Amino acid sequence: MGSTERDVRDAEDRLARGFEAHRPRLLRVAYTMTGSLAEAEDCVQEAWLRLRGLDDPASVRDLAAWLTTAVSRLALDVLGSARARRERYVGTWLPEPLVEARSPDPAERVTLDESVSMALLVVLERLTPAERTAFVLHDVFSVPFPEIAEVVGRTPAAVRRLASRARRQVEEGRPRTPATPAEQRELVAAFSAACQNGDLPGLIALLDPDVVLRGDGGGKVSTLRHVEREAARVAPMMLAHARTAGPLDILPADVNGAPGLVVVDGDGGLSVIAFTVDAGLITAIDLVRNPDKLVRVPDLGIS
């Protein structure tokens, strides 16, 4: 191999290593912006292809910033087209859940912070694509406003206003007194036990009076047609589902970084349940059943 060819190969290897070092953060950026791991992976892959397609990739002085801008622009494009698709979506649209097996050793778990919580992702769906981009990039990933301005095609001052409007909406939707992981784990275990035992009073005691229940089947499997509210209505519905769908295999799992459940019903149907907890009570239950959004759920040993 000649020196020129070897130099080219070395440069390509350095570029690939640099890209792989940034990949986890880029996936988080794209996933938080789109709510879809599949679309996030597509954005990151396309950014890599665009990087390799540059005449001189080595001329990129700040690879992290270049890649973040590229992925963010791609994710913003996805958001624009996704809004039209989601308007035609059958039933309630929920983000694709990120599921991890519960490990007894915290050091073995992948750390997922509040930036990918189901509660935050659901709130982000209320924002415009530009507001969501400004908030996610600035408040979650600390990208400066001038760099965000290049992504959304606005001035830095306009981006600052976008982020401010988004921040107000996000704060309104966030739990005021979020649970610790141990507290949420205990609540989720009690919820599971109450559903399996048909304990209506016990289940109602775990729910906020104004609890929200959302279900996403994508028109492919049966689930809720509309968002349901209030503990007195939600609790009986959960118990009725547990009775008719059984026997159930239920396994604790981390869903978007917080304790949740993976459930397999008597017909083999898979569900992932995410919980939002505030002031010691469950304020939201998000039930994802659309099989297209569950293809990445790991094998958790459910029989």
Side-chain angles (χ1 to χ4, degrees):
M1 180 185 295
S3 60
T4 301
E5 185 178 349
R6 185 165 51 250
D7 290 344
V8 171
R9 179 67 59 83
D10 289 345
E12 290 178 345
D13 288 345
R14 285 196 299 272
L15 187 67
R17 288 195 300 271
F19 174 80
E20 288 301 322
H22 295 297
R23 181 189 286 273
R25 182 177 186 272
L26 297 173
L27 277 172
R28 284 182 60 229
V29 168
Y31 174 74
T32 310
M33 284 183 62
T34 64
S36 166
L37 187 56
E39 291 174 336
E41 290 173 341
D42 288 345
C43 290
V44 172
Q45 182 62 23
E46 178 62 26
W48 164 242
L49 295 176
R50 293 188 180 188
L51 177 65
R52 288 194 63 193
L54 295 177
D55 291 337
D56 182 14
S59 66
V60 176
R61 294 184 178 181
D62 188 338
L63 184 59
W66 190 95
L67 287 170
T68 298
T69 297
V71 165
S72 299
R73 285 173 172 163
L74 291 163
L76 181 59
D77 289 342
V78 168
L79 275 178
S81 60
R83 288 179 73 87
R85 293 198 306 272
R86 290 171 191 175
E87 288 176 358
R88 300 189 299 270
Y89 196 80
V90 178
T92 301
W93 187 94
L94 290 173
E96 179 182 348
L98 299 180
V99 180
E100 293 181 291
R102 181 78 50 78
S103 171
D105 182 0
E108 295 179 357
R109 292 173 48 210
V110 176
T111 300
L112 294 173
D113 60 24
E114 195 267 348
S115 70
V116 295
S117 73
M118 187 65 73
L120 176 61
L121 293 175
V122 170
V123 173
L124 292 180
E125 285 299 310
R126 306 173 190 169
L127 308 179
T128 67
E131 288 172 342
R132 182 167 184 162
T133 301
F135 174 82
V136 168
L137 292 181
H138 182 266
D139 284 42
V140 179
F141 294 98
S142 302
V143 177
F145 285 125
E147 293 182 22
I148 303 173
E150 295 181 14
V151 174
V152 299
R154 311 280 183 94
T155 65
V159 171
R160 188 184 296 273
R161 290 191 293 272
L162 286 171
S164 178
R165 288 201 301 269
R167 196 176 301 120
R168 287 194 296 270
Q169 293 193 59
V170 169
E171 289 303 320
E172 290 174 1
R174 272 179 170 155
R176 294 290 184 264
T177 310
T180 66
E183 290 168 343
Q184 180 150 336
R185 193 171 298 115
E186 183 177 345
L187 264 177
V188 170
F191 174 93
S192 176
C195 288
Q196 290 179 293
N197 297 330
D199 181 2
L200 181 59
L203 183 55
I204 289 177
L206 303 173
L207 305 179
D208 184 271
D210 296 318
V211 65
V212 176
L213 172 63
R214 293 177 283 254
D216 179 349
K220 300 184 178 183
V221 295
S222 62
T223 188
L224 302 170
R225 291 188 177 182
H226 309 287
V227 176
E228 298 289 349
R229 303 177 187 276
E230 299 184 359
R233 180 171 177 81
V234 168
M237 294 179 67
M238 297 302 300
L239 294 186
H241 176 72
R243 285 195 304 270
T244 58
L248 301 176
D249 283 328
I250 302 177
L251 189 70
D254 286 330
V255 180
N256 287 66
L261 297 172
V262 174
V263 182
V264 177
D265 62 31
D267 295 325
L270 182 65
S271 302
V272 171
I273 307 178
F275 298 87
T276 301
V277 176
D278 195 357
L281 295 173
I282 296 170
T283 57
I285 304 168
D286 291 302
L287 175 65
V288 181
R289 301 199 67 224
N290 183 344
D292 292 344
K293 298 183 179 183
L294 303 178
V295 295
R296 291 169 181 77
V297 174
D299 182 359
L300 302 177
I302 298 178
S303 59

